[in-house]
Amino acid sequence: MAMTDTRPTPNLARVAGALYLVIIVAGVWSEGFARASLVVPGDASATAANIRAATGLFQASFAADVLMTVSDAALAILLFLIFRPVSETLAFLAAAFRLIQTAILGANLMNQHEALLILDAPTSAFAPGQQDALALLSLQAQSHGYDLGLVFFGINCLVTGVLIYRSGFLPRAIGLAIGASGPVYLTGSVLTFLAPDASGAFAPAYALPLLAESAFCLWLLLRARNLGPRAA
């Protein structure tokens, strides 16, 4: 009696990998390069001056985050299809938590856009220094909203790590790394909200999730051919 092949098709895996690559590149560029070069923590005047001088870069950062969010929603569905044969319940749980994260990040983008709306408003509508301070506050709210979304993504990583480990068609080392990324995201978010003074010292730990997700992405892109039909 022939065994049923439960592995995903190579094309499905490649599309998932391509979406993951878009998410990583767009997210890292937007947060780590574009906004990092514009936002000066604790200095509303300098931040406002940077954004006014490079409005196009600020808008490109917003567009990159929109692209990342849309890609993330699509990836959640594709990963559900990939891992459904491993465990439909766990695959659904992982997709649900990833989609909750995506919804939070999508709604949170309004905080970034609000900062630009504030800076574009007539200066006469604000008390001296108030306009710049409100814009920086909106960007701080966006940063915290991002960490709120990562609470749900951290749980997604824990579940996805189990799915990868149990799959039989992905390296278990990637499953362990993705699973270990969950506590990193959860710890970072908890520190942001409950112990912000310690969050800066914890930042280097995010190198693990970046490496783990990059490895997962590259495997889907470059090793998907290994998912071809098995012999009966």
Side-chain angles (χ1 to χ4, degrees), residues 72-116:
D72 205 43
L75 179 61
I77 302 305
L78 292 187
L79 291 180
F80 169 75
L81 296 176
I82 287 173
F83 290 116
R84 180 170 57 180
V86 179
S87 170
E88 187 168 12
T89 299
L90 291 179
F92 182 81
L93 191 64
F97 277 105
R98 188 167 195 129
L99 287 172
I100 292 172
Q101 177 230 206
T102 302
I104 291 173
L105 296 188
N108 186 51
L109 285 174
M110 286 307 302
N111 285 315
Q112 180 179 347
H113 187 61
E114 182 183 59
L116 191 58

Side-chain angles (χ1 to χ4, degrees), residues 26 29-30 57-69 109 112:
W29 178 83
S30 179
L57 179 61
F58 190 77
Q59 291 173 323
S61 171
F62 178 84
D65 277 340
V66 171
L67 177 62
M68 177 189 71
T69 305
L109 285 174
Q112 180 179 347

